[in-house]
Amino acid sequence: MDAKDILGLPKNALPIQEKKSKPPKESQRKPDGISREVYALTGGLAPLMPAVDVNQLKRKAQSDNEKITWQWLPFTNSARKDSLQLYHWVRVVNGIPPTGDYSFAKYNKSVDVLKYTDEEYEKYLTDPAWTKEETDQLFDLCERFDLRFIVVADRFPSSKTVEELKDRYYSVSRAILIARALSPGDVATHPLVKETYNASQETERKRALNLLLSHTKQQERKDVEVLAQAKKISEARKASKASEESELPVLSDIGSLGADKATADTVNPSTNSQIPSSSITAPVSETASVIASLRMLRVYLRSYALEQMVQAASSSAGLRTIKRVEQTLQDLGVNLKPKVPTKAVCAEHLELRKEILTLLNLQKQLQYKEAEGSSFREGSYTETPGTPPKQSLRAADLDRTFTPDSLSIGGERFGKREQKRKGPAPSSPAQSKRPRKYKASD
């Protein structure tokens, strides 16, 4: 028992005070692009513009003896014909009001409409569709509304269209200028004389514009599709026409040289009947395919075209022949690829390769004929009575097509062929054999 029980006081006499929760501080995240130290010093981003004291600004210098006041003064406008007097506030310096015309009177611009006399009208301006009263009224309205023909057509009493009003006004003005000029050349450069108004063209233009503006969304989409299709067709026609008509810069020389090179690889068929026709037509077809592929490229380097033509011409020749051609070019001091591949240089390079191929083929033909002749001579002297009869060479063997790969430079393979052609060699005498050992069963 404690004092609170004796006094009859509740044990929790004092209410417990609830702790007020402090609102959380809004944590500001450091923005990117600024260091932590600078952000801690400034408490945020630096101001975009420096704060300038208004008192430090430069004031306009004002003389001590100048006194400026504003006064309510009357003024007149030269643009008005009724001499109306109005009032406005005016800046007065030292009690002297400003003089001169109203400052906004300079913006009043009007059109100079030509005037004609009755005599000029009867002599130059008569028109069956227009009376003099209608023409006078038209010119008055044009001068009043500054050639705003929409307003003029609205105010004109008769039912004339805007195009008819324009045509009448410009035709009358043009006739007056030509009639008053001393010579037609004096007014030849005037806009009204130089550029005549065409009422029918203007009517057609407005009709087409009205038709265009009245199109629906579906019609607009259809028109866009038609225009896109027409554009594709025109581009395709241009491409086909360009591919047919445009000749590549090297093709005129390369094409003829490629055909000549085909014959150079296989020697002239009229003088060498043993060469088949297939070996002649193959390089020509390859040359034509190369020309067609170059035409499809349309843009290419001349050195690339030369390389393709050389490969096409050398495709029928063997690898050994190609190496001999390159070796011959090096012996002559000629680059395998021209350093400056102009049109003339490429043509001469192909011509040189053609001649080298012709020379190599002729050398091979000569070696073949010499080896063939020597084989006949050796065969006539080495025949013996015990030698089997030699088979006679057929005409087909004599006219056999010369193949470069079957004959080496030194003629080694040719000797083997001649050995086979001469027949089997005479048999050597029988050698002594060992006596056969007999078994016990024998």
Side-chain angles (χ1 to χ4, degrees), residues 38-58:
V38 175
Y39 185 76
L41 290 174
T42 58
L45 294 174
L48 298 178
M49 296 181 63
V52 180
D53 189 5
V54 181
N55 297 327
Q56 297 179 359
L57 296 177
K58 184 179 180 181

Side-chain angles (χ1 to χ4, degrees), residues 38 57 84 134 139 149 154 214 220 225 236 295 312 381 419 440:
V38 175
L57 296 177
L84 178 64
E134 289 178 343
F139 272 71
F149 286 98
D154 183 66
S214 62
E220 290 179 359
E225 293 176 358
R295 184 181 289 110
Y381 289 111
Q419 279 184 355

Side-chain angles (χ1 to χ4, degrees), residues 1 16 28 48 53 57 61 80 102 119 121 128 131 153 181 203 209 236 250 281 283 296 316 361:
M1 184 177 292
I16 300 174
Q28 296 181 356
L48 298 178
D53 189 5
L57 296 177
R80 299 183 64 94
Y102 182 53
E119 183 180 357
Y121 184 86
T131 61
T203 304
L209 181 60
V250 190
T281 58
M296 292 177 64
S316 60
N361 279 283

Side-chain angles (χ1 to χ4, degrees), residues 151-206:
V151 182
V152 172
D154 183 66
R155 302 294 180 93
F156 202 74
S158 60
S159 58
K160 298 283 188 181
T161 61
V162 178
E163 289 75 21
E164 292 175 348
L165 297 177
K166 286 184 177 181
D167 186 37
R168 179 58 176 169
Y169 171 79
Y170 288 121
S171 61
V172 169
S173 300
R174 183 170 179 269
I176 293 172
L177 287 173
I178 296 175
R180 293 177 181 177
L182 298 177
S183 62
D186 296 341
V187 293
T189 57
H190 196 279
L192 293 176
V193 179
K194 187 177 180 181
E195 303 291 339
T196 57
Y197 180 76
N198 192 345
S200 60
Q201 182 180 357
E202 184 71 10
T203 304
E204 182 64 22
R205 183 188 68 83
K206 288 186 176 181

